[in-house]
Amino acid sequence: MRAITEFMANHHRCCDGLLVAVEQAVVSGAWERARTEFARFQDAMRHHFTAEESLLFPLFEQSTGMYRGPTQVMRGEHGQMRQLLAGVASALDARDGEDYAGSVETLLIMMQQHNIKEENVLYPMCDQHLADQVDALLPGLQSQIAGEERVPT
Amino acid sequence: MQALLSFAQSPPLDAPFRFFLTAPLFAILAGMLMLWGGPDLFASRWTPAALALTHLISVGFMLQVMLGAMIQILPVFAGANLLRPRLVVPVVHATIALGALLLVAGFLSQQAPAFWLAVLLLGSGLALFIGAAGHALHHVPATNPTINGLKLALPGLSVTVGLGILLAVGLDGAFALPLLQLTSLHLVWGFVGWGVVLLAAVAFVVVPMFQLTPPYPAWFARCFAWLVLALLCCWTVTARWPGPSSLLAGAVVLSVAAFAVHTLQLQRCSKRARFDATQHCWRLAMLCTLAACAVWFTGVRGPSLTARQEWLCGVLALFGGFMSVMIGMLYKIVPFLVWLHLQNLGGVHFLAPNMNKVISAPQIRYQMQAHFLALALLLAAVVWPRWFAYPAGLAILIANLWLLRNLLAAVGFYRQQGQKIAAMLPATPATASR
């Protein structure tokens, strides 16, 4: 019963792969390609955050009654990563290699420590508490991560 | 559910930093001790100065970094926080720092009261830490190899401390203990049962995630800590029988070598665009670990390890392996924590300066090169002590003064930027309220 953990962790690895493409473009001096690859990475990250904030976290909160606990911390970290994503985008726009290297390093560590918390603690608890809703939940997460559904604003 | 509740609390910045900033002080003392002891220090690993040097690095430098890192990673990796960190952390830090100093003083002066006090302080401080960390991890299910490794490292530390206490109280010969055998057990449990098990638990997450490599083979990560501990237990029980004991010791060394080989192989597949200081330190550490294993195997083909082989194994494992990987990790953990706490201070409308601005890249590079040079000189000093003992001592002193300088620069950066943020913050609500 690790369906949520495996699905979401797999998407974390997909995002890692997209970030690698940005890094490789920057190292080879292909700034335009780096911007294109970064836009793909940024989209994937935003869709991931949206899937969690609009679907997974509310269900977890309803199921456990914990509205101000770990999901709140994760939302806060999403906010910090959104700021870091904007910082990396500015560095790429300015073609500033040094600023890019520092911003992307910070983003990578922030992102990975966030992923560790989710994969080791939060997702396993989601698997435990949302076991009877997994069949309905996974297609919803899938379509939001693929960017097919927009959350009403 | 306890895991989730503690998940929201991050340790205060000073909790890990007090350990990280103390660690280089012990390595600086190690450099000074080598300058004071000179070539004679390398005569045997049993000289008082050699024992003091070993413990300055293992109980002084390594234990400080390991406990500081564990306090920081328990909530992140396992959702487990120490109870009452503001009380527990300063007590653990003060007792083990003072205990390490007294232990070194005991070795150098051969005065029993120093050993007794050291045992009291180190024993109580570490018992408090093991109790607090064990309590935090108790309700966390071992759902992955990292949590499992963190849990299994604690018994390894407990056995090491227990044996250390036994050795300290038995040094005057009052209890007719088999001191040589106990020393081997103490050393191997400390290196492998505590050190390598904890390092591997961290590596299973840190290497793939931060260096963007494929994961360790699942079977290897799942079995490693259990296998190593099972082998160590069997080896301990059979210590009186040379045949099985040698075979089991060989199996322990092979397991450690397998961990190093896997890590090096993964690093070769890293997708990071640039190889940074941390990755260089990991690579050197794993190469030194492999070299230490190779020296051990070369040595046991004869009647026993020669004094030079023992020294080479020790220097490769302690200075080359553990110390290198810890320096590399400090250069990731410290700047990131500074960034994170500044970001938390600043709030949602503020982006803290990125972590590469916390300690300047050239300073990290120079320090890393100084550490590599110190290691090379120390290895040379093992073989040619008359030529290299003083240069090695001086190099260790300089490399660790530099490490301390870099860590203090990070603290200075945090204070400076924190003041800027504090000056900026009160203006925001006032402006908003107008």
Side-chain angles (χ1 to χ4, degrees):
Chain A
M1 290 303 291
R2 287 174 46 84
I4 297 172
T5 304
E6 281 171 15
F7 178 78
M8 298 301 280
N10 279 342
H11 192 246
H12 284 162
R13 301 293 91 77
C14 290
C15 293
D16 292 350
L18 294 171
L19 183 60
V20 167
V22 185
E23 284 235 281
Q24 283 168 349
V26 171
V27 164
S28 53
W31 288 99
E32 270 315 307
R33 181 156 60 86
R35 285 179 61 185
T36 313
E37 296 290 356
F38 184 74
R40 290 178 63 204
F41 167 68
Q42 198 169 17
D43 276 350
M45 292 287 284
R46 283 176 179 158
H47 291 146
H48 188 93
F49 295 160
T50 306
E52 289 182 338
E53 290 171 4
S54 67
L55 204 55
L56 183 62
F57 293 174
L59 275 179
F60 175 81
E61 286 159 355
Q62 282 164 25
S63 164
T64 59
M66 292 180 67
Y67 290 88
R68 301 184 65 79
T71 46
Q72 191 186 27
V73 179
M74 294 296 98
R75 283 192 176 93
E77 292 191 357
H78 288 172
Q80 290 177 328
M81 280 188 278
R82 286 185 176 103
Q83 286 175 289
L84 283 168
L85 284 165
V88 178
S90 311
L92 283 174
D93 288 343
R95 300 191 174 190
D96 183 337
E98 200 176 316
D99 191 27
Y100 165 80
S103 302
V104 88
E105 186 67 27
T106 315
L107 173 64
L108 177 72
I109 299 198
M110 180 73 209
M111 188 169 107
Q112 299 298 5
Q113 65 91 37
H114 176 84
N115 292 352
I116 293 166
K117 288 180 192 171
E118 289 189 333
E119 291 173 28
N120 284 3
V121 183
L122 186 57
Y123 294 158
M125 296 303 282
C126 288
D127 274 315
Q128 190 186 337
H129 286 274
L130 305 177
D132 54 343
Q133 301 173 62
V134 166
D135 291 342
L137 176 62
L138 285 185
L141 288 173
Q142 172 76 64
S143 59
Q144 289 221 337
I145 278 174
E148 290 161 11
E149 278 182 26
R150 301 286 172 206
V151 181
T153 51
Chain B
M1 199 54 73
Q2 188 230 349
L4 283 182
L5 290 170
S6 48
F7 186 73
Q9 306 151 11
S10 183
L13 188 61
D14 66 294
F17 269 42
R18 68 175 69 225
F19 290 93
F20 297 159
L21 287 168
T22 311
L25 296 174
F26 282 100
I28 289 166
L29 286 178
M32 290 163 71
L33 177 64
M34 285 178 64
L35 289 175
W36 176 72
D40 293 346
L41 191 149
F42 293 90
S44 150
R45 75 175 168 110
W46 300 103
T47 61
L51 290 167
L53 177 70
T54 310
H55 286 84
L56 275 171
I57 297 302
S58 57
V59 185
F61 185 92
M62 281 170 54
L63 193 62
Q64 291 281 342
V65 177
M66 288 161 115
L67 297 194
M70 239 184 137
I71 287 164
Q72 186 60 39
I73 64 178
L74 279 178
V76 177
F77 286 11
N81 243 325
L82 297 186
L83 269 183
R84 300 190 183 183
R86 290 196 184 277
L87 175 69
V88 169
V89 168
V91 172
V92 170
H93 172 257
T95 48
I96 66 159
L98 203 55
L101 282 176
L102 283 164
L103 186 64
V104 170
F107 281 123
L108 292 176
S109 67
Q110 296 294 302
Q111 295 293 314
F115 278 116
W116 283 97
L117 266 175
V119 161
L120 183 71
L121 286 168
L122 284 170
S124 55
L126 287 170
L128 177 63
F129 177 81
I130 292 165
H135 177 265
L137 282 167
H138 179 61
H139 296 292
V140 180
T143 47
N144 62 49
T146 295
I147 298 178
N148 191 44
L150 291 175
K151 286 184 164 198
L152 291 180
L154 291 178
L157 177 60
S158 310
V159 174
T160 310
V161 178
L163 289 166
I165 292 173
L166 209 54
L167 279 166
V169 297
L171 266 183
D172 59 2
F175 301 99
L177 294 168
L179 293 181
L180 279 181
Q181 263 180 10
L182 282 178
T183 307
S184 294
L185 291 174
H186 170 64
L187 184 149
V188 175
W189 273 93
F191 269 21
V192 185
W194 158 240
V196 175
V197 168
L198 180 65
L199 179 63
V202 173
F204 293 151
V205 171
V206 165
V207 171
M209 283 191 154
F210 297 114
Q211 301 182 24
L212 297 178
T213 72
Y216 284 81
W219 65 268
F220 181 78
R222 204 170 45 243
C223 301
F224 182 76
W226 285 114
L227 175 73
V228 164
L229 280 191
L231 287 171
L232 280 180
C233 289
C234 295
W235 174 70
T236 306
V237 173
T238 60
R240 284 165 180 269
W241 296 285
S245 172
S246 299
L247 275 178
L248 287 161
V252 170
V253 176
L254 267 183
S255 309
V256 175
F259 165 68
V261 169
H262 272 304
T263 308
L264 286 168
Q265 274 179 337
L266 291 181
Q267 273 205 314
R268 287 182 61 197
C269 309
S270 171
K271 292 175 190 159
R272 291 306 307 269
R274 295 180 192 84
F275 225 68
D276 64 13
T278 304
Q279 283 167 298
H280 280 297
C281 285
W282 268 91
R283 176 178 283 179
L284 179 81
M286 293 302 112
L287 287 171
C288 286
T289 305
L290 266 185
C293 295
V295 171
W296 187 87
F297 273 113
T298 320
V300 290
R301 289 172 69 187
S304 64
L305 287 175
T306 64
R308 291 308 96 193
Q309 284 167 330
E310 285 178 341
W311 266 99
L312 277 178
C313 269
V315 168
L316 284 167
L318 276 179
F319 284 85
F322 285 113
M323 218 171 152
S324 300
V325 88
M326 286 176 196
I327 290 172
M329 290 302 290
L330 283 175
Y331 284 139
K332 276 279 182 274
I333 300 173
V334 167
F336 178 70
L337 288 179
V338 165
W339 177 85
L340 186 66
H341 283 264
L342 286 175
Q343 188 60 44
N344 289 339
L345 279 179
V348 288
H349 301 298
F350 170 82
L351 182 59
N354 70 57
M355 56 184 271
N356 283 10
K357 295 199 163 91
V358 176
I359 308 172
S360 85
Q363 290 296 337
I364 291 180
R365 199 168 54 247
Y366 298 147
Q367 194 281 326
M368 188 180 72
Q369 287 163 354
H371 169 69
F372 292 176
L373 178 66
L375 171 66
L377 287 170
L378 190 53
L379 288 169
V382 169
V383 185
W384 302 287
R386 284 178 179 229
W387 288 93
F388 288 101
Y390 291 112
L394 188 63
I396 288 170
L397 180 65
I398 291 171
N400 287 285
L401 278 169
W402 213 324
L403 177 62
L404 182 64
R405 178 244 166 248
N406 285 352
L407 298 178
L408 287 173
V411 175
F413 185 86
Y414 174 75
R415 289 204 175 128
Q416 184 196 23
Q417 294 294 321
Q419 280 167 359
K420 276 190 190 171
I421 294 169
M424 191 181 73
L425 278 182
T428 313
T431 314
S433 65
R434 270 180 214 137

